[in-house]
Amino acid sequence: MVDYTISDIYQGGDSSLAPKYGNIFTNYRVNPATFGMTTDPRTANILQDASTKFNTGMKHVEITGINITGGAPGELFESIPDEQLKEVNRLSKLVGATVSLHGPLLEPSGINKEGFSESNREAIERQMISAVERGHLLDPTGNIPVTFHSSASLPDEIAQKNPDGSISSPEGVAVFRPEDGKFGVIPLKERTFPGDEKRKDAKIELARYNSEQWMQEIEQLGQRMRIGGDIIDKTATTAILAEAEKKARKEWTPEEEAIQKEFHQGTTYLNSSYIDLKHLFEKAQKNSSDIEKDKINKFYDNIRPKAEMINERLKENPNDIKSAILTKEIIDEGVEILKEVHPQTLVELNDFAIDKSAETISNVALNSYKKFKDTAPIMSIENPPAGGAFGRGEDLRKIIEESRKKFIEKAVSEGIDERTAKKEAEKLIGVTWDVGHINMIRKYGYDASDVVKETEKVAPFVKHIHLSDNFGMEHTELPMGMGNVPMKEILEKLGQQGFDAKKIIEAGNWWQHFKTPPFKETLEAFGSPIYSMQMAPYWNQSQGLQQDYFGGYGQMLPQTNYEMFGAGFSHLPSELGGQRPGAEGSRMSGKGME
C-alpha cells in the first residue's frame, strides 16, 4: 500500500486568523495613511490624475515632474500650469489628503557630457529654485517634500563583491580637471616595483598621476628655457655689439647677421617659456594648498619689478636683449619654486561633483527658506538607481552633510544666527530613500545585508521613502513583496522616522503590464489594517476572509455546497441561516412553523 497522509492530498485552506498569512507579506505592518502614489509621468494633466488616485482612498499623492516622453528633462513639469497646482492643493484639502512633488531629473553638479561650467550649474540651480517655488503652491501652509535626484547623468564605479566576500578594486577612477572643466578616467594599476607595492587605490594612483604630470610639465618648461638660455648666453654679447653698430648706421657682417637671427631664436624660446611659466603658476595657485600658495605669492612679490620692466620693454621690441636676460632670471627662479609645490591638477570626479551639488542644493534650500520661512519646502535628495553617481548610502550622506554645512555658512553670512541656521538646515535638507534603487547593488554581487547596511548610513537623514520592488538586476518597479528588496529590515533600520515618513508607491512596470493600480498589493505586502482602528483584520489576510473586498468568493454559504453534500440548511429561510427567501411558515411570519 502506498504510504500517504491526508496532508499529502489536501493542504488545507488559508486561515483569516493567521496573523502572518499572505504570499507577499513583508512581516512589517505599516499604517496605510502613510502610503502614496505618483501621478502619471506621461501627462501634465495632474488634476485629473490626482483625482483618480484620491478616488481609491489614497491619502497621499506625489506630483511627478519626471519626463519619460522624451525632450528636455524639465519639459513635462513646465507644461503643468500653476492653476492645476493650486487646484490639486484645494482637492487634497477637500479629501483630507497630502501632496508631495518629484522635481525634474536635473544634474545638480552642473556637469554634462561637455564637461563642467559654472554657468551651467547656475542654470540648473535656477530650474530647481523654480520647481521648489512652484511646489509651494501644492501646499502653501506646510513643508512639502520636493524630491530631486542626487545625480541624473554621472556614472558610479561600483566595486564588485566576490563570492568569498572580498571587494574587487575598480579598474579605473573618474577624474575631473578644474582647469578646463573636462573629465575622464585614469586606470588603476597594481604596482610591483620595490617600495611601490600597493593594491589598486584611487587616491594613491591619483596623487601619483598628478605628481608625474606636474614634473613632466616643469621639465618641458625647463628644457625649452635651457635651449633659449644657452642661445642667449652664447650670442648676447655679439648681439649687443651688432645692435650698437646698427644704431651707428653700420652694416652688419654676414656673421653678425647670423648671430642676430640665432639670438632672436633664443628670445622666442624664452618668451614661449615665460608664457608657459605664467600658465603653470596660475594652475599651481588655483590647485595648491594654502602653504604652497604663500610661497607662490612671495615669488610674485620678488619678481614684480622685473616682470613689469619686461612688459614695458617688450612693447617696444620683442627681441629686447635686457628683457631676454630678465626673462631667463625669472624662469630660473620660477622653476625652482614650481618644484616645491604639488598642485592637484586632477581631482576625483565624485569629490568635485559632491562639492558642486552641495553648492546647488544649499543655495536652493536657502532661497526657499528666505522666501517662505516656516512653510519652506523640504529639499529631499534621492539616491538614483545603483550604478549612477551617489546612489549609495555613504555618498548620499556626504552630499547631505556638505549641503547642510554650506547652508549654515551662507545663512550666517547673511545675518541668520548659527543656531537657527543649523536647525533649518536639518529640517529643510534630507533624503528620499528609494528602496528599489539601492537594491540594485545586488547586480554587483552584494546581498540583502549589504542593502540594509547602505540604509543604515543614511537613516538619520531620511524624510521621504519611495517604494518599488525588483530582483536587484534591472530598474524594474513592482509592488512591494514581489521581488527581493529586504523591506522589513530596511524599515526597521529607519526606525520611527521611516515608519512615519510618506511612502510613495512607484510601480511603473506593474502599471505597464498588469494595467491595475498597485495599491491593494502594497496594502497586502505591509499587512495594513483594513479598518481605521489599527487592528485586525489586515489586508494580508484579505484572501482568507469570507466575502472580502477582492476575494470574489460570492455568498457566505454557497447553495451548491449544500446541494452537493446533502446538508438540509440550504432550504431554510434566510432568517434562520438558509438561502431561501422568507417563507409563509417561517417563525417571523407570525404563523406556526410548518
Side-chain angles (χ1 to χ4, degrees):
M1 178 178 290
V2 177
D3 183 19
Y4 71 92
T5 63
I6 294 298
S7 64
D8 292 329
I9 60 175
Y10 178 64
Q11 298 300 321
D14 299 318
S15 171
S16 61
L17 300 179
K20 293 186 177 181
Y21 165 68
N23 292 332
I24 62 174
F25 182 39
T26 61
N27 290 317
Y28 189 95
R29 298 199 187 281
V30 173
N31 182 349
T34 65
F35 290 130
M37 282 196 289
T38 177
T39 55
D40 193 333
R42 297 169 298 180
T43 178
N45 189 357
I46 59 169
L47 181 60
Q48 180 182 24
D49 202 49
S51 178
T52 301
K53 300 295 191 300
F54 284 135
N55 285 344
T56 67
M58 186 70 65
K59 303 299 291 182
H60 185 87
V61 166
E62 182 156 289
I63 306 302
T64 184
I66 297 177
N67 183 17
I68 66 169
T69 59
E75 184 176 341
L76 177 75
F77 189 63
E78 293 294 310
S79 300
I80 301 173
D82 280 351
E83 287 72 19
Q84 286 231 342
L85 299 175
K86 295 174 183 177
E87 285 301 320
V88 169
N89 170 52
R90 296 187 185 100
L91 178 62
S92 65
K93 288 181 178 179
L94 184 65
V95 299
T98 54
V99 187
S100 58
L101 172 66
H102 195 313
L105 290 182
L106 304 171
E107 178 52 56
S109 68
I111 299 173
N112 57 29
K113 61 183 180 180
E114 283 79 31
F116 170 81
S117 69
E118 182 62 20
S119 61
N120 187 54
R121 189 202 64 76
E122 291 173 351
I124 296 294
E125 181 180 305
R126 284 189 285 270
Q127 278 188 274
M128 293 174 69
I129 287 175
S130 174
V132 169
E133 291 181 348
R134 297 187 67 212
H136 190 258
L137 298 174
L138 290 165
D139 187 4
T141 60
N143 302 107
I144 180 174
V146 180
T147 293
F148 293 100
H149 280 207
S150 57
S151 177
S153 60
L154 299 180
D156 184 19
E157 293 292 331
I158 300 181
Q160 299 278 347
K161 184 176 182 180
N162 302 315
D164 62 0
S166 63
I167 306 297
S168 297
S169 299
E171 296 301 315
V173 56
V175 295
F176 176 80
R177 189 165 58 200
E179 180 184 1
D180 57 10
K182 302 300 182 182
F183 55 89
V185 176
I186 61 173
L188 297 183
K189 302 175 182 178
E190 289 184 358
R191 303 288 178 172
T192 59
F193 194 83
D196 287 345
E197 298 98 335
K198 297 284 184 183
R199 67 180 182 84
K200 294 178 180 179
D201 185 286
K203 295 195 179 299
I204 292 175
E205 196 66 34
L206 185 57
R208 182 194 302 274
Y209 189 90
N210 276 324
S211 177
E212 291 176 353
Q213 290 294 309
W214 183 245
M215 293 310 296
Q216 286 179 15
E217 290 188 71
I218 294 176
E219 178 57 33
Q220 291 170 3
L221 168 64
Q223 187 175 2
R224 289 194 300 274
M225 183 271 295
R226 285 191 293 273
I227 294 172
D230 289 345
I231 294 174
I232 295 297
D233 290 342
K234 184 175 67 171
T235 61
T237 302
T238 304
I240 292 173
L241 293 174
E243 192 67 29
E245 289 179 355
K246 187 174 184 180
K247 288 182 179 179
R249 299 184 181 278
K250 290 184 179 181
E251 292 292 329
W252 283 345
T253 65
E255 291 78 10
E256 288 175 330
E257 194 165 321
I259 288 176
Q260 197 71 13
K261 287 182 179 179
E262 190 175 0
F263 176 79
H264 290 172
Q265 185 181 23
T267 58
T268 300
Y269 270 110
L270 284 179
N271 290 338
S272 174
S273 299
Y274 191 52
I275 293 172
D276 289 343
L277 182 78
K278 293 178 182 179
H279 172 70
L280 288 181
F281 266 99
E282 289 171 356
K283 184 188 295 187
Q285 190 175 45
K286 184 177 181 180
N287 301 300
S288 297
S289 66
D290 290 339
I291 295 176
E292 292 172 338
K293 287 178 181 178
D294 287 340
K295 291 182 180 180
I296 293 171
N297 290 331
K298 288 179 182 178
F299 169 72
Y300 284 174
D301 292 337
N302 290 337
I303 68 163
R304 190 176 304 278
K306 293 180 181 179
E308 291 174 351
M309 185 181 296
I310 290 172
N311 289 340
E312 289 300 319
R313 295 180 73 97
L314 289 179
K315 289 178 183 177
E316 299 178 5
N317 180 9
N319 296 306
D320 179 68
I321 296 172
K322 181 63 174 177
S323 297
I325 295 172
L326 292 176
T327 299
K328 182 177 180 300
E329 291 175 1
I330 290 176
I331 296 174
D332 277 333
E333 188 178 347
V335 167
E336 294 305 312
I337 296 295
L338 290 175
K339 290 178 180 179
E340 298 178 12
V341 300
H342 303 85
Q344 301 299 304
T345 53
L346 288 180
V347 298
E348 284 195 62
L349 179 60
N350 266 23
D351 292 343
F352 180 84
I354 285 175
D355 180 67
K356 292 303 178 181
S357 296
E359 180 76 11
T360 302
I361 293 166
S362 61
N363 286 346
V364 176
L366 183 58
N367 178 83
S368 174
Y369 173 69
K370 290 191 295 185
K371 185 165 186 175
F372 301 116
K373 298 298 181 183
D374 292 339
T375 63
I378 293 170
M379 290 283 291
S380 198
I381 310 304
E382 179 182 353
N383 55 308
F390 319 131
R392 291 174 291 171
E394 182 67 19
D395 286 336
L396 191 57
R397 180 184 62 79
K398 287 180 182 178
I399 286 184
I400 300 304
E401 289 179 338
E402 189 63 23
S403 298
R404 289 180 175 180
K405 178 183 174 182
K406 288 179 180 287
F407 179 98
I408 295 170
E409 291 173 352
K410 296 173 193 293
V412 170
S413 70
E414 295 191 21
I416 301 172
D417 70 272
E418 187 171 356
R419 183 177 179 183
T420 300
K422 183 178 180 181
K423 177 183 175 183
E424 294 301 328
E426 293 175 354
K427 173 185 175 183
L428 298 179
I429 302 175
V431 166
T432 291
W433 193 235
D434 192 305
V435 300
H437 288 175
I438 192 59
N439 194 57
M440 290 172 61
I441 63 173
R442 291 176 182 265
K443 181 191 295 188
Y444 303 95
Y446 296 89
D447 57 25
S449 65
D450 296 302
V451 175
V452 178
K453 289 176 184 175
E454 294 295 319
T455 301
E456 186 175 12
K457 295 173 184 177
V458 296
F461 306 99
V462 171
K463 297 179 179 292
H464 205 56
I465 297 173
H466 282 175
L467 297 176
S468 63
D469 213 338
N470 56 44
F471 298 95
M473 299 297 121
E474 297 294 341
H475 184 206
T476 52
E477 295 177 331
L478 297 173
M480 297 311 303
M482 294 188 175
N484 57 19
V485 172
M487 196 65 233
K488 176 177 181 290
E489 293 79 3
I490 286 176
L491 285 176
E492 286 177 343
K493 191 62 67 176
L494 293 178
Q496 189 65 39
Q497 192 166 346
F499 183 83
D500 294 336
K502 297 298 182 184
K503 303 167 187 66
I504 307 303
I505 305 165
E506 293 187 323
N509 294 85
W510 180 264
W511 279 102
Q512 177 184 356
H513 298 292
F514 301 99
K515 313 299 182 185
T516 60
F519 191 24
K520 168 182 173 287
E521 286 73 18
T522 302
L523 293 172
E524 290 178 4
F526 287 103
S528 299
I530 291 178
Y531 302 110
S532 60
M533 293 86 73
Q534 303 297 312
M535 56 184 292
Y538 303 107
W539 279 101
N540 60 298
Q541 302 168 327
S542 62
Q543 295 293 341
L545 294 173
Q546 299 292 345
Q547 290 182 307
D548 71 277
Y549 291 94
F550 299 103
Y553 291 130
Q555 294 181 341
M556 185 173 181
L557 300 175
Q559 180 175 348
T560 55
N561 181 75
Y562 297 104
E563 290 177 350
M564 180 179 295
F565 296 106
F569 287 103
S570 61
H571 295 288
L572 290 177
S574 58
E575 298 93 314
L576 300 179
Q579 294 188 4
R580 291 184 61 184
E584 182 179 343
S586 73
R587 65 178 182 177
M588 303 298 180
S589 66
K591 300 181 180 179
M593 295 180 64
E594 295 180 354

